Amino acid sequence: MTDVTALEARIARLEHELAIQQDIEQIRKVQYTYGYFIDKSQYNEVVDLFSDEGEVWFLGGIYRGKAGVRRLYIERFQGTFTQGHNGPRYGWLLDHPQLQMVIDVAPDRRTATVRGRSMMQAGLHESAEGAQRAWWEGGIYDNRYVREDGVWKIARLGYFPFWHGTFADGWAKTPIDYIPFTKTLYPEDPLGPDAFVEPTPRLWPATDIVPFPYPHPVTGKPIAIDNSRAREGFKD
């Protein structure tokens, strides 16, 4: 290999590494913006973050394609939380901080994985219309991204809400299956998912590990998952 050939190869490698770092920043921007949109119930804008073939995994259900994504965010969430209004409503708190994001871009720069978490504060003020409530929630994201025409979009928003607790009592007294999972698919349930997540996730006090989409960062080996004791207190 001549000096010129070696230099060309080095430049190409550096350009590729720089492009991946730029991809990571663009993906982080999309993911963080998702959190800001959800905070203020900007559900129309949330839907626009997704690929046409995108999907959402939420409370044991899979909502597929733009039609499924719209069904969840606009028909269900917007209809329930803001009475059909695209944007915040008086007295409604729904903060979704986006935390601990680990972003991995594939070598071909066409796809990426994102693992992260949200620790949510939510509730309705006593002066607002509706039943006053306040709760905490925490969950893990296991997301997939796709680059289409140079733009990174969400291919899968996989949110696994692990724990809930009222502001007054905390999470130690959360009832089993506090948030019921959907049992009926679309179209039998007009707001239901297109399919169920397998295996079926469980909420706190279950403590399952969501599988990591990347290997151990030091050993390079797949990260072992042992959920054998994660649900031992449940009586199915």
Side-chain angles (χ1 to χ4, degrees):
M1 179 180 294
T2 65
D3 291 343
V4 173
T5 301
L7 182 59
E8 290 175 341
R10 181 183 180 187
I11 292 172
R13 184 177 68 254
L14 292 174
E15 287 179 339
H16 181 71
E17 292 174 355
L18 175 60
I20 287 181
Q21 292 304 312
Q22 292 173 330
D23 290 334
I24 290 173
E25 288 305 309
Q26 291 173 23
I27 292 167
R28 181 178 288 112
K29 184 176 183 178
V30 173
Q31 186 64 46
Y32 283 2
T33 302
Y34 169 85
Y36 285 119
F37 285 159
I38 289 289
D39 287 350
K40 296 302 182 182
S41 301
Q42 294 174 275
Y43 298 115
N44 294 351
E45 288 76 11
V46 166
V47 172
D48 289 340
L49 295 175
F50 283 80
S51 164
D52 287 344
E53 303 301 320
E55 61 185 29
V56 183
W57 292 25
F58 178 71
L59 287 179
I62 303 174
Y63 299 79
R64 289 177 170 155
K66 274 293 180 69
V69 173
R70 286 182 58 86
R71 190 185 319 129
L72 177 64
Y73 287 105
I74 296 178
E75 297 177 31
R76 179 175 170 181
F77 291 165
Q78 190 177 93
T80 300
F81 298 139
T82 59
Q83 293 82 48
H85 173 66
N86 185 59
R89 56 167 290 207
Y90 172 79
W92 177 235
L93 177 69
L94 198 67
D95 284 351
H96 281 73
Q98 307 290 286
L99 308 169
Q100 293 182 300
M101 295 295 163
V102 179
I103 302 171
D104 280 293
V105 177
D108 62 9
R109 300 181 54 228
R110 295 180 180 179
T111 60
T113 66
V114 175
R115 183 182 181 90
R117 84 171 53 245
S118 180
M119 183 175 175
M120 183 173 67
Q121 305 87 47
L124 189 66
H125 193 268
E126 62 181 0
S127 65
E129 179 183 351
Q132 187 273 328
R133 53 181 174 149
W135 77 94
W136 300 94
E137 178 180 327
I140 293 289
Y141 291 107
D142 182 29
N143 298 348
R144 302 293 181 270
Y145 273 73
V146 61
R147 188 163 63 95
E148 297 177 343
D149 298 324
V151 178
W152 283 100
K153 303 176 184 179
I154 300 173
R156 183 181 88 190
L157 194 290
Y159 178 59
F160 295 83
F162 276 147
W163 59 269
H164 299 76
T166 66
F167 186 83
D169 295 330
W171 45 86
K173 297 182 179 180
T174 304
I176 302 295
D177 296 328
Y178 176 65
I179 304 296
F181 283 16
T182 301
K183 302 297 183 182
T184 307
L185 297 177
Y186 178 83
E188 183 178 352
D189 178 355
L191 300 180
D194 298 285
F196 294 124
V197 176
E198 297 293 345
T200 304
R202 293 295 295 265
L203 298 175
W204 171 260
T207 56
D208 300 54
I209 299 172
V210 175
F212 289 79
Y214 53 87
H216 190 289
V218 173
T219 68
K221 298 179 181 178
I223 298 175
I225 304 297
D226 182 359
N227 284 328
S228 60
R229 299 192 60 191
R231 306 186 183 190
E232 61 185 6
F234 284 95
K235 298 178 180 179
D236 293 320

